[in-house]
Amino acid sequence: MLVLGIETSCDETAVAIIDDKKKIYSNKIYSQIDLHKKFGGVVPEIAARSHVELLPHVLEEAIKEAKVDLKNIDAVAATGGPGLIGGVMVGVMYGKTIASALNKKFIAINHLEGHALIPRVTENIDYPYLLLLISGGHCQIVIVEKLGKYEIIGKTIDDAVGEAFDKTAKLLDLGYPGGPIVEKYAENGDEKAFTFPKPLLKKGECNFSFSGLKTAVRNQINKLDKLSEKTKSDICVSFQYTVSEIINHKIMESFKLFNSKFPHSKNVVISGGVAANKYIRKKLSENISTLGYKLFYPPINLCTDNAVMIAYAGIERLNNGDYSNLDFEPKSRWSLDNITY
């Protein structure tokens, strides 16, 4: 069974083709970073227009790389939300058009479900597992019981982790996107050079808050007369260290609830764009391994938004007998614990 995946929820225009044996035939991603860099963030209207222009070309490249005839595709899966509504609309309409023209099934995929399931493509992970989903727009701890049954036990009450990275990079005038740049600068810094607050770090609390941390970084920068490259590195690594400490604390707290429901499951998954941060992965892996848990994460090229995760979620949904009607409406908001077919 071959499934075509389309991802357009933010600033990546992506198309992939995979089969039900988890073989990836093609994975094409066009990043719009250069278009948005001068604005210091994603501009929704520019992103949507770019998806319209790019999708036909990215699809053509994906088909060429996969060496398959589009008529042999069994279904089309496209991100139906959540995301920037203009981009989501483009991907959904494109996916519906292909599915309708070829008389194939269409599946609208929840973008977060794609992130939740993608480690199952490259790792042999059985349900249930504990998921830490951290990206530019999302920050959640989820019990993944089985396909379609997700319990959110922790989430951000303000900003996502990736957003905090982007803001820190902007305050330091390092460029966009902030995540990879902050991580690079952090390599040459002293993680104890600055002490930043760790909000909501109390027993039994699984929710996140990063707005206060961003404010603390800004205040610290304002106190300094001059920002040398070394000082920037010290701020970056101190910020990254603080984020890592917060995440580790929240995961440890979430184990209590996870263990009470699934005492024999020891699998933890970290997914989303921030999962590409090697420092955070290393710290988290070290801490949870002492408790007998094992950390799984996708390859770096599958951490950020991609169409492989959408196509694979489509495969799991098809195997479950799920598909969407062609009157499906794109969603800017779509909670992971409220997916129905």
Side-chain angles (χ1 to χ4, degrees):
M1 181 169 63
L2 285 172
V3 172
L4 172 73
I6 298 173
E7 158 58 25
T8 57
S9 66
C10 193
D11 62 334
E12 273 86 23
T13 308
V15 177
I17 299 173
I18 69 172
D19 68 15
D20 55 349
K21 302 299 182 183
K22 303 180 182 181
K23 178 181 177 180
I24 301 173
Y25 288 77
S26 61
N27 177 27
K28 306 305 276 187
I29 304 174
Y30 184 91
S31 175
Q32 301 176 14
I33 287 176
D34 290 341
L35 295 176
H36 302 281
K37 188 178 293 184
K38 62 182 177 181
F39 302 103
V42 179
V43 180
E45 290 185 7
I46 294 177
R49 287 199 300 269
S50 296
H51 289 313
V52 172
E53 296 172 1
L54 292 168
L55 255 180
H57 305 291
V58 179
L59 173 63
E60 184 179 357
E61 290 179 4
I63 294 172
K64 187 180 298 183
E65 182 178 279
K67 297 178 181 178
V68 299
D69 190 320
L70 194 58
K71 294 179 180 179
N72 294 327
I73 297 295
D74 293 286
V76 180
T79 298
L84 300 178
I85 191 61
V88 175
M89 289 173 64
V90 172
V92 166
M93 294 306 297
Y94 207 82
K96 284 182 181 181
T97 300
I98 296 173
S100 180
L102 298 177
N103 196 26
K104 307 293 183 180
K105 282 185 167 52
F106 171 75
I107 316 105
I109 298 297
N110 182 296
H111 177 82
L112 304 180
E113 184 172 61
H115 279 304
L117 301 182
I118 186 62
R120 287 170 51 82
V121 173
T122 55
E123 303 282 355
N124 187 25
I125 309 173
D126 293 324
Y127 297 116
Y129 52 84
L130 188 67
L131 167 70
L132 171 65
L133 175 54
I134 46 177
S135 66
H138 305 281
C139 182
Q140 300 178 352
I141 300 176
V142 183
I143 295 177
V144 180
E145 185 172 338
K146 62 181 181 179
L147 177 68
K149 191 164 185 180
Y150 312 110
E151 181 183 358
I152 301 171
I153 60 176
K155 59 184 178 181
T156 179
I157 63 173
D158 41 55
D159 303 321
V161 184
E163 185 181 352
F165 270 90
D166 286 341
K167 184 64 174 180
T168 297
K170 190 172 184 178
L171 289 168
L172 293 170
D173 198 25
L174 300 181
Y176 175 84
I181 301 173
V182 169
E183 183 180 8
K184 186 67 177 176
Y185 264 78
E187 293 175 359
N188 301 313
D190 176 8
E191 65 184 26
K192 299 297 178 65
F194 299 98
T195 301
F196 294 126
K198 304 180 183 73
L200 296 185
L201 225 65
K202 54 187 178 182
K203 190 174 182 180
E205 177 62 74
C206 293
N207 287 331
F208 299 85
S209 173
F210 291 102
S211 62
L213 175 57
K214 291 194 310 182
T215 301
V217 171
R218 183 188 64 201
N219 291 341
Q220 182 60 66
I221 291 172
N222 290 339
K223 290 178 184 177
L224 301 171
D225 294 330
K226 187 178 180 181
L227 286 176
S228 65
E229 291 298 292
K230 179 62 168 65
T231 302
K232 289 181 180 181
S233 291
D234 286 344
I235 291 174
C236 285
V237 73
S238 297
F239 163 80
Q240 186 174 253
Y241 167 79
T242 304
V243 170
S244 176
E245 289 290 291
I246 294 171
I247 288 174
N248 273 280
H249 176 84
K250 300 301 181 180
I251 284 292
M252 296 305 164
E253 290 298 322
S254 68
F255 281 156
K256 299 170 186 176
L257 182 55
F258 184 59
N259 281 338
S260 69
K261 294 191 171 188
F262 304 103
H264 302 297
S265 180
K266 297 294 181 181
N267 292 335
V268 180
V269 165
I270 177 174
S271 187
V274 183
N277 186 294
K278 296 178 182 178
Y279 177 91
I280 291 176
R281 288 198 318 213
K282 181 174 181 291
K283 289 289 186 182
L284 185 59
S285 182
E286 289 173 351
N287 285 339
I288 70 171
S289 64
T290 62
L291 299 177
Y293 286 83
K294 186 174 181 181
L295 181 66
F296 295 91
Y297 43 81
I300 289 179
N301 69 317
L302 297 181
C303 286
T304 52
D305 293 350
N306 63 87
V308 172
M309 69 183 194
I310 303 304
Y312 178 71
I315 286 173
E316 289 218 17
R317 283 295 177 179
L318 281 174
N319 286 335
N320 197 51
D322 301 327
Y323 59 92
S324 305
N325 294 323
L326 291 180
D327 61 356
F328 171 86
E329 295 183 4
K331 308 175 189 292
S332 59
R333 297 180 182 275
W334 193 7
S335 180
L336 193 55
D337 58 0
N338 187 31
I339 303 175
T340 58
Y341 282 88

